[in-house]
Amino acid sequence: MRRMTVRPQRRIVTVCAALALLSACGQSSANDKAAAPLSEQQTKTVVPDAKAMPGWEVTNPPDAYSLEKARSAGPDPCPKELRKGCEGIRYAGSSEFSGTKKPNVSFTAMAYQNEAAAKAAYDVFWASYVKSLAKPEKLDIGALGDRRNAVVGVGGYEGEEAAIAQVRVGTVIVSLTAGVGRSTRLDHALVKKLSAVFADRAREAQAGEKPSAGVDTG
């Protein structure tokens, strides 16, 4: 199977290349005080690890980095047309998984300095994600976080099915991509579950907890 066009670069946030950067499992993150920004370590814990994905192979372990670090390591990861989406980013984290008879899944968490910055970036990135799939159709992932979107469509050169989901939870935007081979059908219910797990990990981190949500919980 060829690599999907929506597959993100490892370690660097690059929506410019149609990458996939993405709650409380139905609960809003709103509370009596504004959601706090996450630290670099907290951002790293938001993206799922091996413990959160039992039975899957880790193809890219959890990592987190600052936007400044990404820019110093190479070309600016935020192209001119997406500059507004990168304003206010403190850290970005990512991890990737695959497995026998399982889709390839990539997770990305973008931690902003405040909710206003995350809100402003949401539509910018989502508009780019949707363009990376052919024939996108809306996918229901439930009432996650403060805002959410998901689509399923064609994400590869040979007609492979792929899905993209994005959720904002307070100061964090979490997103995931999932793709399968041409002869395999993507499990939409699994995409919904993975989205809920990822959003819940963001909620846990903002509550000052160590994220523990995983595909084997709930």
Side-chain angles (χ1 to χ4, degrees):
M1 173 183 145
R2 299 183 183 179
R3 287 190 176 186
M4 295 167 50
T5 55
V6 293
R7 185 180 177 85
Q9 290 183 5
R10 294 185 178 185
R11 310 297 187 190
I12 297 180
V13 181
T14 60
V15 157
C16 53
L19 92 180
L21 286 179
L22 190 207
S23 130
C25 291
Q27 299 178 10
S28 170
S29 66
N31 49 38
D32 294 335
K33 59 181 180 179
L38 300 184
S39 67
E40 183 173 356
Q41 180 58 32
Q42 285 176 312
T43 303
K44 182 177 179 179
T45 65
V46 168
V47 294
D49 55 12
K51 185 177 180 180
M53 300 284 285
W56 297 67
E57 177 187 352
V58 180
T59 54
N60 186 20
D63 194 11
Y65 36 80
S66 67
L67 183 60
E68 291 73 16
K69 180 179 179 179
R71 284 174 167 164
S72 65
D76 192 337
C78 299
K80 183 179 296 184
E81 62 270 23
L82 292 175
R83 183 77 60 184
K84 290 183 180 180
C86 288
E87 293 176 354
I89 289 181
R90 286 167 54 83
Y91 304 102
S94 65
S95 63
E96 298 178 24
F97 298 83
S98 64
T100 303
K101 296 183 179 181
K102 290 181 172 62
N104 296 319
V105 183
S106 299
F107 298 94
T108 302
M110 296 182 290
Y112 287 83
Q113 61 189 16
N114 52 47
E115 287 193 73
K119 288 179 181 178
Y122 190 95
D123 285 329
V124 178
F125 282 116
W126 182 246
S128 179
Y129 297 161
V130 173
K131 291 179 182 178
S132 69
L133 287 185
K135 302 178 182 180
E137 296 182 0
K138 185 176 180 180
L139 179 63
D140 181 13
I141 57 172
L144 303 178
D146 299 292
R147 190 176 175 190
R148 80 295 306 167
N149 288 93
V151 293
V152 61
V154 177
Y157 296 109
E158 299 179 349
E160 301 97 326
E161 188 176 17
I164 302 175
Q166 175 176 288
V167 182
R168 183 180 72 81
V169 184
T171 61
V172 182
I173 294 177
V174 296
S175 60
L176 68 82
T177 61
V180 293
R182 186 177 182 181
S183 62
T184 306
R185 185 181 183 282
L186 182 64
D187 184 347
H188 297 180
L190 176 61
V191 174
K192 181 176 181 179
K193 185 170 186 177
L194 291 173
S195 299
V197 165
F198 201 10
D200 202 33
R201 291 178 70 88
R203 180 197 61 79
E204 289 173 324
Q206 288 185 84
E209 305 169 6
K210 181 179 180 180
S212 60
V215 296
D216 59 338
T217 61

